[in-house]
Amino acid sequence: MDAQKLLGELASQLLSGGIEVVDLTAPLGPDTPLIKLPPELAVDTPKVEIHTISEYDKNGPWWAWNWLKLGEHSGTHFDAPIHWISGKDYADGSTDTIPVKKFVGPVNVIDCSRESAADPDFLLTVDHIKAWEAKHGAINPGEWVVMRTDWYKRNGSEAEFLNANETGPHTPGPTAEAIQYLIGKDICGWGSETIGTDAGKAGGMEPPFPAHTLMHKANKYGLASLCNLDRLPTRGAILVAAPLKIVKGTGSPIRAMALVAKG
């Protein structure tokens, strides 16, 4: 089937419901959980604010609209390479310069929900990924890889979502070796259901925050606070994760979604 016919079939399947569009995005508003960092390390992102400009009133009699105050890395969001010091020098590393074809691609879902339910500090290792590949097939260049943990089900409560105590945050994520292995597969990017792309205890890893440090060093991308990965097949879905075209943007809230064949 040539490309034009393929697009026509895709359009037909979307209209008929043969292909489902699955929303992978958390609601974005004043109650959106945001990452908390030690004050000696960083200034935190401010809470999301939504302010009314007009609502069918004297400020605009026939229309309603708002202005927003939010950080680039609020809610379900995209991490660009220049977000991290290891990727700061890429000319195509900001949200306005990344090739748009990178925002759409096949997605591999590694299901770690059972392990994460048993241990919130669960770490995905190279051996876990190799075992997944032995069962489901090799991860290919240019594909996305996301870690399903069902952590998004905690998103309604910031305390439960961050899951922090006096010893720090406790959320699942990848080891540095796992991230390096995926970079070796030349994936497009890495995604998670937690507040960030790294595990809660990633600050103590070598290198610190490896999903950020290594992925962005390799000019690759991150997705955080994804939802509904339990509604995706292990393989075969198409991920759409497009950030706003912010000038020199280090990231952006997104409306992430996936195209999934029904039946």
Side-chain angles (χ1 to χ4, degrees):
M1 183 180 294
D2 64 31
Q4 191 61 47
K5 288 182 179 179
L6 187 62
L7 283 175
E9 179 61 23
L10 173 61
S12 176
Q13 289 295 320
L14 283 168
L15 291 172
S16 69
I19 292 177
E20 179 184 10
V21 181
V22 177
D23 191 358
L24 306 181
T25 314
L28 184 64
D31 296 327
T32 295
L34 299 173
I35 196 165
K36 300 291 186 294
L37 296 168
E40 67 275 11
L41 183 63
V43 175
D44 282 333
T45 295
K47 281 286 191 180
V48 175
E49 297 180 13
I50 303 176
H51 299 273
T52 300
I53 299 173
S54 70
E55 192 172 10
Y56 329 113
D57 54 25
K58 63 182 178 61
N59 296 320
W62 301 317
W63 56 85
W65 54 355
N66 305 309
W67 68 270
L68 310 177
K69 178 181 177 180
L70 72 166
E72 292 172 316
H73 301 268
S74 301
T76 303
H77 65 272
F78 185 102
D79 287 350
I82 68 163
H83 173 45
W84 217 250
I85 190 170
S86 56
K88 67 182 180 66
D89 294 324
Y90 285 110
D92 60 350
S94 57
T95 56
D96 59 330
T97 59
I98 295 169
V100 293
K101 66 180 181 179
K102 300 291 188 179
F103 304 145
V104 181
V107 59
N108 301 279
V109 182
I110 301 179
D111 185 358
C112 305
S113 56
R114 179 177 56 83
E115 294 87 346
S116 300
D119 178 12
D121 285 317
F122 171 75
L123 296 177
L124 179 72
T125 67
V126 174
D127 286 343
H128 289 125
I129 299 172
K130 288 182 175 179
W132 184 94
E133 288 185 295
K135 184 176 181 180
H136 301 291
I139 295 167
N140 298 311
E143 296 180 341
W144 283 88
V145 177
V146 296
M147 182 178 176
R148 174 191 162 189
T149 57
D150 291 351
W151 205 260
Y152 80 93
K153 296 177 181 180
R154 297 169 172 249
N155 202 301
S157 164
E158 185 170 83
E160 289 186 23
F161 196 56
L162 299 181
N163 199 38
N165 59 21
E166 65 280 357
T167 64
H170 299 276
T171 57
T175 62
E177 293 77 15
I179 290 296
Q180 194 60 62
Y181 178 78
L182 292 173
I183 291 170
K185 307 287 287 188
D186 196 23
I187 66 169
C188 183
W190 161 261
S192 73
E193 294 181 331
T194 54
I195 196 76
T197 55
D198 274 295
K201 57 184 181 182
M205 295 181 180
E206 184 55 46
F209 306 105
H212 287 82
T213 301
L214 299 175
M215 277 285 166
H216 299 326
K217 182 179 181 181
N219 201 19
K220 298 184 183 300
Y221 318 112
L223 301 174
S225 295
L226 293 168
C227 299
N228 298 321
L229 296 183
D230 53 344
R231 294 180 57 190
L232 303 189
T234 303
R235 304 191 74 158
I238 300 296
L239 177 69
V240 181
L244 295 172
K245 198 172 182 178
I246 301 168
V247 175
K248 297 182 180 179
T250 71
S252 167
I254 57 174
R255 186 66 178 261
M257 60 193 79
L259 306 181
V260 178
K262 295 186 70 175

